[in-house]
Amino acid sequence: MSDDILSYIPALRLFARSLCGRTGDPDDLVQDTLLRAIEKVESYTPGTNMRAWLFTIMRNRFYSQCVKLSRERPAAEDCASSVPVSQPVQYWHMRGKEVEAALLDLPQPYREAIVLVLVTGESYLSAAEILGCDIGTIKSRINRGRRQLRTALGEEV
């Protein structure tokens, strides 16, 4: 029989699936078995049945993990379920994308006024000078642009 560990991996995966069933990860068990075999390579006698040796290691590791898991108390103090839940950050990212899309859909005069005053922080007077119009026009464009943004974002006007 060959002492090439790699040739036994498919059989180890199959055996791991039969042991784990739906309760664990068979690939983790195979990896743990191979790691243990490498660590304990001095206990293997060349010329003996390596496949049986690997299966024995796997079975012993699986049952050791089962015993260990049965001793762990559920809802221990360091349990992950007791950690406070953080708020999802993707909501604000997606909301920002919606605002950006709604802003790009605005007519150009409204978009320019809103970006200058509300995004970049220019004063109404400065925005009026940049756009070459009256300050009242800037105020009107911002007001109308805000209403269109609220409508586009599904907020009450």
Side-chain angles (χ1 to χ4, degrees), residues 57 91 94 109 124 132:
I57 291 173
Y91 172 78
M94 295 305 295
Y124 284 100

Side-chain angles (χ1 to χ4, degrees), residues 6-97:
L6 296 178
S7 65
Y8 299 120
I9 291 178
L12 287 170
R13 291 186 76 213
L14 186 63
F15 186 54
R17 274 192 233 121
S18 71
L19 287 174
C20 292
R22 297 174 189 230
T23 60
D25 188 5
D27 290 330
D28 285 346
L29 183 59
V30 171
Q31 182 177 359
D32 193 31
T33 301
L34 294 174
L35 182 62
R36 179 64 91 174
I38 291 169
E39 290 172 351
K40 302 293 181 180
V41 71
E42 70 278 350
S43 67
Y44 173 69
T45 307
T48 60
N49 190 347
M50 179 177 275
R51 181 179 171 139
W53 182 67
L54 291 170
F55 284 162
T56 302
I57 291 173
M58 179 178 285
R59 186 178 50 83
N60 290 343
R61 294 298 294 163
F62 176 75
Y63 288 121
S64 295
Q65 289 173 358
C66 288
V67 169
K68 181 180 173 183
L69 289 174
S70 70
R71 281 189 247 145
E72 289 182 357
R73 292 185 344 217
E77 292 176 10
D78 60 344
C79 182
S81 64
S82 64
V83 176
V85 176
S86 63
Q87 296 300 320
V89 294
Q90 69 270 19
Y91 172 78
W92 291 110
H93 175 75
M94 295 305 295
R95 190 65 174 165
K97 292 289 188 186

Side-chain angles (χ1 to χ4, degrees), residues 100 103-104 106-122 127 131 141-142 149:
E100 182 181 3
L103 186 62
L104 292 174
L106 286 178
Q108 185 176 355
Y110 298 156
R111 184 175 57 243
E112 289 175 346
I114 286 179
V115 169
L116 281 174
V117 176
L118 302 178
V119 177
T120 63
E122 293 287 335
L131 295 177
R141 288 178 181 175
I142 289 176
L149 280 175

Side-chain angles (χ1 to χ4, degrees), residues 106 110 114 139-149:
L106 286 178
Y110 298 156
I114 286 179
K139 290 179 180 181
S140 174
R141 288 178 181 175
I142 289 176
N143 184 34
R144 290 179 185 150
R146 280 181 175 165
R147 284 181 184 239
Q148 287 185 12
L149 280 175

